[in-house]
Amino acid sequence: MKKRKQKIMALLLAMVLVFNLSGCAKNKGTSGNASADRDSGSKSVLRIANLPASFKACLTLIADAKGYLTEEGLNYELISLQNSSDALIALEENKIDVNPSGISNILAGIQDGEDLYVIGGSAQAGGVIIAKPKNAEKYSDLANWAKSTFASGRSYTGDFVVRHYLGTIGIDSNKDMKSVDLGDDLSIIQAVQKGQADVGYITANSTLKAVNCGLTLVTNVNDYEDAYPCCRISTNGKAIKEKYNELVLFLKGIIRAYDFILENKDETIKIMMDLTDQDKDYVTEVMYGDYASKYIPDPARQKVLNFAEYLKEADAIGNTDLIEDAINVEIYKKALDAIVEEYPDNENYQTLLSSYETFDLKK
């Protein structure tokens, strides 16, 4: 495990958002007093990684802020961690039960034999191709990327998606073009702005910054592959065995947070402004902008399996043979069915049922 952790930390460090919080600080959650018409509540305390400056974890943040986890009868504890890599290690070491962020490192851990499981989704898509205005039309077509210099972070989820689709048209991103591996969006924006790179990939969090620097938002990476997976919700085998009911209650709260984000834009923005200490324009763009991630709780089993193949193509993992059995959609489906039974006329929950039929059933 030590060797694998070193490899993953080196490969995926750029995907980590650093938070101004001390590691492993504990925030008490609900006492689990639920109303009579809801689940009778959980007996064990579910320990949930808290990444309060991460928009990718906003379903968890909203579920907590709105009291949905409490209403569902969940006893829980938020454990603040520095970043998604710390959350993964804490999950592997059984210091937490739920990690709401990460995907590449989770799949690498699964394939390395760690007792990890994907049980839900936190975010999907949310990547953007940028270039100088004079180059925007050229690089809107992947066929023109050969011999270009591409600035990105090799740990970004969308980076693997872009490289996969370059490969489908015969462009090997490691041989037919030059890659500049940078650690954050700002460095990528500056590289393209200064002409050190022809084209770049950034997350949707930095679209306003790119535009303010005179660059053009060329392509939404979601246009290459619709609803490609970003952060997933993961747990470990011990939690599934010992806290199954708590995981169901947690996902019920997450599903309700999904509906709230869709139906209550202004309040969602206010909550996320308070949690992340960002201004309104920034939060609005990240949560609801044209290039923003979609915050959807569906595990999206088929999409995750596709993405695992992209990791294999990029030599980020050796193979994918352990991953399929580590995607547990049963817990999510139980939570979703319970929510739909309680709110049968809610169109957003009906949409999730359709998504489950499309993306989670075995083909």
Side-chain angles (χ1 to χ4, degrees):
M1 184 174 78
K2 181 177 180 181
K3 182 178 180 182
R4 195 267 304 167
K5 285 180 180 177
Q6 291 173 341
K7 178 180 178 182
I8 296 305
M9 286 294 288
L11 177 66
L12 299 173
L13 187 58
M15 77 183 296
V16 173
L17 293 174
V18 178
F19 308 110
N20 296 320
L21 292 169
S22 60
C24 293
K26 296 184 179 181
N27 302 308
K28 292 295 183 181
T30 171
S31 61
N33 295 323
S35 59
D37 61 338
R38 292 191 182 276
D39 192 285
S40 59
S42 59
K43 297 179 181 179
S44 300
V45 175
L46 193 72
R47 301 163 300 170
I48 305 165
N50 185 37
L51 305 172
S54 173
F55 287 91
K56 301 298 186 184
C58 69
L59 287 172
T60 299
L61 299 175
I62 294 294
D64 174 60
K66 291 300 297 178
Y68 295 149
L69 301 178
T70 299
E71 291 179 11
E72 294 301 335
L74 180 66
N75 289 309
Y76 69 101
E77 184 175 65
L78 297 179
I79 300 180
S80 294
L81 296 165
Q82 292 290 329
N83 52 57
S84 61
S85 292
D86 286 350
L88 174 63
I89 293 171
L91 184 62
E92 290 176 342
E93 296 179 348
N94 196 39
K95 294 178 180 178
I96 61 172
D97 304 306
V98 175
N99 173 18
S101 68
I103 180 171
S104 301
N105 52 358
I106 294 168
L107 298 183
I110 291 169
Q111 194 54 48
D112 196 52
E114 297 291 341
D115 190 24
L116 303 175
Y117 294 84
V118 172
I119 61 169
S122 285
Q124 67 184 37
V128 186
I129 301 302
I130 59 172
K132 287 185 176 181
K134 66 179 182 180
N135 294 327
E137 182 175 357
K138 176 180 179 180
Y139 292 114
S140 65
D141 187 347
L142 289 178
N144 295 327
W145 283 39
K147 298 183 180 180
S148 69
T149 298
F150 177 39
S152 183
R154 286 305 306 268
S155 57
Y156 284 166
T157 304
D159 178 90
F160 291 106
V161 175
V162 171
R163 292 176 190 275
H164 167 75
Y165 283 96
L166 284 166
T168 65
I169 59 172
I171 297 177
D172 186 328
S173 61
N174 294 318
K175 297 179 180 179
D176 301 325
M177 49 191 281
K178 180 181 178 180
S179 294
V180 182
D181 184 11
L182 300 173
D184 57 75
D185 286 347
L186 179 58
S187 298
I188 295 165
I189 290 169
Q190 291 174 339
V192 176
Q193 184 185 38
K194 295 176 181 178
Q196 298 167 345
D198 302 304
V199 62
Y201 170 92
I202 61 172
T203 67
N205 296 29
S206 299
T207 52
L208 288 178
K209 186 179 294 294
V211 171
N212 290 337
C213 289
L215 301 179
T216 297
L217 307 179
V218 177
T219 308
N220 189 333
V221 176
N222 197 62
D223 292 340
Y224 300 141
E225 179 175 324
D226 182 50
Y228 67 88
C230 189
C231 288
R232 302 291 90 183
I233 295 172
S234 58
T235 188
N236 58 35
K238 183 177 176 63
I240 290 177
K241 181 179 180 180
E242 299 180 358
K243 301 182 181 181
Y244 185 95
N245 182 56
E246 286 75 15
L247 291 172
V248 173
L249 297 178
F250 170 74
L251 289 176
K252 287 177 69 178
I254 294 299
I255 292 167
R256 293 177 65 192
Y258 158 80
D259 177 67
F260 181 84
I261 290 170
L262 291 179
E263 299 298 329
N264 299 275
K265 178 177 177 179
D266 291 343
E267 189 175 351
T268 297
I269 290 170
K270 179 62 169 60
I271 291 171
M272 294 306 294
M273 285 174 62
D274 291 342
L275 289 173
T276 64
D277 199 28
Q278 297 286 349
D279 64 37
K280 184 176 181 179
D281 288 344
Y282 181 88
V283 173
T284 302
E285 184 69 15
V286 173
M287 292 297 299
Y288 297 101
D290 292 338
Y291 297 88
S293 294
K294 304 301 181 184
Y295 305 102
I296 298 177
D298 192 323
R301 178 181 176 278
Q302 293 298 328
K303 290 290 186 177
V304 173
L305 291 176
N306 290 344
F307 183 73
E309 291 299 323
Y310 304 165
L311 294 178
K312 181 180 177 181
E313 292 170 2
D315 294 324
I317 59 177
N319 52 65
T320 62
D321 57 312
L322 298 179
I323 292 173
E324 183 169 3
D325 289 339
I327 305 173
N328 184 320
V329 301
E330 172 190 292
I331 302 172
Y332 169 75
K333 185 57 161 52
K334 186 169 184 177
L336 179 59
D337 286 345
I339 289 293
V340 169
E341 182 178 1
E342 188 169 357
Y343 305 97
D345 298 324
N346 185 299
E347 294 183 2
N348 293 327
Y349 299 148
Q350 293 297 326
T351 297
L352 289 180
L353 278 178
S354 297
S355 295
Y356 179 87
E357 296 291 329
T358 302
F359 296 123
D360 292 296
L361 297 181
K362 290 187 177 182
K363 302 299 183 182

